[in-house]
Structures are given as structure tokens and as C-alpha cells.
């Protein structure tokens, strides 16, 4: 009896719940944090980009960017260089009277890349306050767009509800 209990403890530490879990983990699918986490890890934030996100160049006049932000209903503009890479975030009125958007831009507090999945994004959003999170290409660093907190939360809720329906459909 003692040998069965001991071997069960050792095999659980080595293989987890089953050998199948080990095989899935070798393929990058980790169910140790739950089935829903594995599903969320398969969804990419790049699929939820906001087409209305406002961008500007460093040379743009702050008042023109402020007008575009007002028209689109945003509070922040993403400042890009000539090659389309993210320089920072511009918020009108945050730095007093400035001559160009580039001089008022601050580094983005949070940046996702095109490989960021929904599970990771939800973890990294803790404590974030802002309109949206910029998304850049992992290889070139070029700005791809921005994803709003609301869209990420909606995608997470939709996927969680879909998983619940799937699990309860067999009952």
C-alpha cells in the first residue's frame, strides 16, 4: 500500500495528471492553469485592433491632433516616427503649451506585440489606465494599431461564455 501511494505521488510530480498533459505541454498547450487559460492563450490581441485609434507624427501641431481626438472620441493619440514605429503617447493639455506633438509625447505605459495573447493581455492590464494599448510588430517594432481595454474584456467574457456553453452542452 505504501509503495502505491509513494509511486502515485512521484508520478503525479513527474507527469501531472496524465501522460497526455505532458505531451500537450511539449506542444505549447498548458492545462495546468485551467482549460479556459489555454483557450484564451490561443486568441491574439492583434485580432481586436481599434480602427478608430488616432495616430500623429512628432511634427504635428497639438491643436490639430486635439481636434482629431475630439472628433473620434479619444483622449490619447499614438505618436509615430517616419517609419511607422511608436514614439509615445500624446495627451492634449497634459504638458501645457508645446510646439509639436513630439515634444509632448510620453512613453507608452503598456505595449503589446503581435504575439501577445488574450490571457497574457488580461494579466498585464492590471493597473492600466488609458484609452487603449498600442500593438507593435514584434520583428520590426512598427505600430499595428491599438486595442481598447473594453474590447479585451469583451473578448475574454465572450470566450469564457462560449467555453461554459460548450461544457454544459454535454450535460
Amino acid at each position: 500500500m505504501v509503495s502505491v501511494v509513494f509511486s502515485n505521488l512521484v508520478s503525479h510530480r513527474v507527469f501531472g495528471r496524465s501522460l497526455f498533459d505532458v505531451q500537450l505541454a511539449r506542444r505549447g498547450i498548458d492545462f495546468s492553469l485551467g482549460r479556459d487559460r489555454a483557450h484564451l492563450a490561443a486568441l491574439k490581441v492583434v485580432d481586436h485592433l481599434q480602427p478608430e485609434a488616432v495616430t500623429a507624427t512628432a511634427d504635428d501641431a497639438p491643436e490639430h491632433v486635439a481636434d482629431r481626438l475630439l472628433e473620434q472620441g479619444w483622449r490619447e493619440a499614438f505618436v509615430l516616427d517616419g517609419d511607422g514605429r511608436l514614439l509615445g503617447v500624446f495627451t492634449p493639455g497634459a504638458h501645457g503649451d508645446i510646439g509639436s506633438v513630439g515634444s509632448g509625447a510620453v512613453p507608452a505605459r503598456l505595449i503589446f506585440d503581435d504575439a501577445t495573447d488574450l490571457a497574457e493581455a488580461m494579466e498585464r492590464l492590471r493597473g492600466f489606465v488609458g484609452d487603449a494599448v498600442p500593438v507593435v510588430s514584434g520583428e520590426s517594432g512598427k505600430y499595428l494599431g491599438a486595442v481598447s481595454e473594453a474590447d479585451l474584456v469583451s473578448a475574454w467574457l465572450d470566450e469564457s461564455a462560449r467555453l461554459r456553453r460548450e461544457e454544459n452542452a454535454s450535460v
Side-chain angles (χ1 to χ4, degrees):
M1 178 77 146
V2 172
S3 63
V4 171
V5 170
F6 183 72
S7 65
N8 187 25
L9 288 172
V10 171
S11 65
H12 179 69
R13 290 284 178 203
V14 173
F15 290 111
R17 292 179 60 195
S18 70
L19 181 58
F20 184 62
D21 287 347
V22 173
Q23 292 170 330
L24 288 174
R26 287 182 184 152
R27 292 184 181 167
I29 302 170
D30 183 11
F31 283 127
S32 66
L33 297 175
R35 183 171 174 251
D36 56 337
R37 170 90 171 163
H39 279 274
L40 293 172
L43 303 174
K44 302 296 179 200
V45 296
V46 76
D47 295 331
H48 301 281
L49 295 179
Q50 278 287 326
E52 303 90 26
V54 177
T55 60
T57 65
D59 298 330
D60 286 347
E63 51 277 354
H64 292 125
V65 176
D67 291 341
R68 288 195 345 229
L69 286 167
L70 190 60
E71 288 173 17
Q72 295 290 338
W74 287 70
R75 293 182 306 253
E76 301 172 327
F78 299 101
V79 183
L80 310 178
D81 68 8
D83 294 326
R85 285 189 289 273
L86 182 69
L87 294 176
V89 179
F90 172 73
T91 306
H95 300 285
D97 192 21
I98 54 174
S100 69
V101 169
S103 60
V106 296
R109 293 179 298 276
L110 178 62
I111 299 174
F112 295 147
D113 65 25
D114 52 359
T116 304
D117 60 59
L118 190 56
E120 178 186 352
M122 293 299 290
E123 285 290 325
R124 292 176 56 197
L125 273 176
R126 290 177 192 243
F128 175 78
V129 177
D131 281 347
V133 179
V135 181
V136 299
S137 170
E139 294 175 10
S140 66
K142 289 195 177 203
Y143 173 81
L144 300 174
V147 61
S148 71
E149 289 177 271
D151 286 342
L152 292 176
V153 171
S154 292
W156 178 76
L157 290 171
D158 291 346
E159 183 63 15
S160 296
R162 187 191 70 74
L163 284 172
R164 248 185 291 308
R165 281 192 309 273
E166 181 182 299
E167 289 170 352
N168 293 329
S170 64
V171 177

